[in-house]
Amino acid sequence: MSHPAIIHDEEPIRLFKSDFLEFFTHISPITVTVIWLPVSAYFFWLGVQQSTGGWRHLIAAFLLGLLIWTPTEYLAHRFIFHFHPRNKLQERIAFLFHGVHHAQPQCKTRLVMPLPVSIPLAALFYVLFTVIVGMLFRAPTWVMPMLSGFTIGYLTYDLTHYATHHFAMRDGYLKFLKRYHMQHHYKTPEQRFGVSSPVWDMVFGTYPKATTKR
């Protein structure tokens, strides 16, 4: 993805001429939490109803789903959000998906995933978990608690991303995450793709050898 110059204007960049479409490009972290936290809880409740293995099975499946989110976050950020467009249409799509965030990184209403993107993706992952875990691995009772953990992983990522841009985060690991993500924006946009963790950057070689403190 080509990285546009950073715009410091507080007025959000308009993406669509239609007010209706433009409305759906803005979202708050409160909305994301209100929607996806109950969804995660519902998935877990369904898992409880279906479970034949007790709480250890449910917790293990939940944690596995949470773990699976971490490479998903990295791969999506690196290869989908930062894909390199080859024509004008792809440039437009890339800007809509993620380029606008790099052009205006402090825009508060474009720091978490809008519903027209997150809902279809949730449906896609629901199908993938059902087919792969439930059918191919013949473990249908693992699907719902894994989806619950996966959804919590996504929610943690979205809220962490918002926090790195708008909360002080002055201590410990949170301070590291904020600095790490700011360096992705202002120093190394083709590295540091992890938002909630740098682990997969280390695994796939996109963690800078020498991390200079800002």
Side-chain angles (χ1 to χ4, degrees):
M1 182 187 75
S2 58
H3 297 281
I6 294 173
I7 298 172
H8 297 285
D9 190 349
E10 293 185 4
E11 184 68 23
I13 298 169
R14 190 174 182 93
L15 298 179
F16 295 100
K17 292 180 180 179
S18 165
D19 290 339
F20 178 78
L21 293 177
E22 184 70 13
F23 172 80
F24 288 102
T25 70
H26 299 276
I27 189 170
S28 80
I30 295 174
T31 302
V32 170
T33 304
V34 166
I35 290 174
W36 295 111
L37 190 59
V39 168
S40 176
Y42 179 66
F43 284 150
F44 195 82
W45 179 82
L46 288 176
V48 171
Q49 303 305 305
Q50 299 169 359
S51 177
T52 58
W55 285 101
R56 288 184 180 179
H57 151 256
L58 289 167
I59 293 172
F62 177 90
L63 292 177
L64 181 58
L66 188 63
L67 179 63
I68 290 172
W69 166 258
T70 61
T72 304
E73 169 192 318
Y74 172 86
L75 294 171
H77 191 185
R78 180 178 179 182
F79 294 108
I80 298 177
F81 295 165
H82 281 261
F83 85 95
H84 296 278
R86 298 178 181 178
N87 54 52
K88 292 295 183 180
L89 176 61
Q90 290 181 5
E91 285 180 7
R92 172 64 173 164
I93 293 172
F95 190 79
L96 289 174
F97 257 80
H98 197 62
V100 64
H101 173 54
H102 274 265
Q104 204 171 39
Q106 296 306 106
C107 180
K108 290 185 177 182
T109 59
R110 287 194 174 127
L111 291 175
V112 294
M113 197 173 293
L115 297 181
V117 177
S118 62
I119 291 176
L121 285 177
L124 173 63
F125 282 111
Y126 181 92
V127 172
L128 289 175
F129 274 78
T130 300
V131 172
I132 296 172
V133 178
M135 297 179 182
L136 295 182
F137 284 92
R138 298 182 180 180
T141 60
W142 284 68
V143 173
M144 291 304 164
M146 284 180 68
L147 279 168
S148 177
F150 189 83
T151 304
I152 288 296
Y154 155 69
L155 183 58
T156 301
Y157 150 77
D158 247 359
L159 296 181
T160 300
H161 185 233
Y162 185 90
T164 59
H165 283 271
H166 284 288
F167 293 163
M169 302 173 75
R170 294 190 177 94
D171 300 305
Y173 185 63
L174 294 180
K175 179 180 179 180
F176 166 81
L177 286 181
K178 181 178 178 69
R179 183 188 303 121
Y180 193 74
H181 189 60
M182 291 302 100
Q183 287 175 325
H184 167 71
H185 273 279
Y186 297 102
K187 185 178 179 182
T188 56
E190 294 301 328
Q191 294 178 309
R192 298 181 171 99
F193 294 106
V195 174
S196 57
S197 168
V199 168
W200 296 104
D201 281 307
M202 296 175 183
V203 171
F204 290 112
T206 50
Y207 187 95
K209 293 182 178 179
T211 302
T212 304
K213 293 185 177 181
R214 288 182 61 83

